[in-house]
Amino acid sequence: MLRSRFAALRVRAAHRDYKRTREREEEWLLIEWPRRKAEPSKYWFSTLPAKTSLKTLAHTAKARWLIERTIRNSSRSLASAL
């Protein structure tokens, strides 16, 4: 169960856009604001479809974070075993 608060906005990321001839596609900006914290703590961009629910966005972001953490920990374990 997720215990944070989440907000999501459709945005166009910008990075050296003065070199682009077209606008970037819209994507999601997902913001996590844990309860009892003064401000948001994590931010994600997502290219999931525009009709994706906030719940699905939050679960997907957290699942990805868990997978990345597991891979990082496994890599450390493997490196220390060598």
Side-chain angles (χ1 to χ4, degrees):
M1 172 185 266
L2 297 176
R3 301 200 185 270
S4 287
R5 296 171 288 177
F6 291 88
L9 302 166
R10 296 291 290 171
V11 298
R12 294 182 196 275
H15 178 71
R16 298 185 182 183
D17 282 354
Y18 52 85
K19 294 182 178 182
R20 296 181 62 90
T21 57
R22 296 182 326 146
E23 286 187 326
R24 294 179 187 270
E25 295 295 321
E26 280 191 350
E27 54 189 287
W28 286 107
L29 170 61
L30 179 64
I31 304 161
E32 180 180 5
W33 192 332
R35 297 190 187 283
R36 299 185 199 96
K37 297 289 182 178
E39 57 192 36
S41 62
K42 294 181 181 149
Y43 304 84
W44 294 268
F45 283 109
S46 172
T47 57
L48 288 171
K51 292 184 179 184
T52 305
S53 70
L54 179 59
K55 184 176 181 177
T56 299
L57 286 167
H59 280 284
T60 302
K62 289 306 215 176
R64 179 177 174 176
W65 176 83
L66 181 60
I67 291 166
E68 289 174 352
R69 187 180 72 173
T70 301
I71 291 170
R72 187 172 44 251
N73 290 343
S74 297
S75 296
R76 287 182 189 149
S77 296
L78 181 60
S80 66
L82 297 177

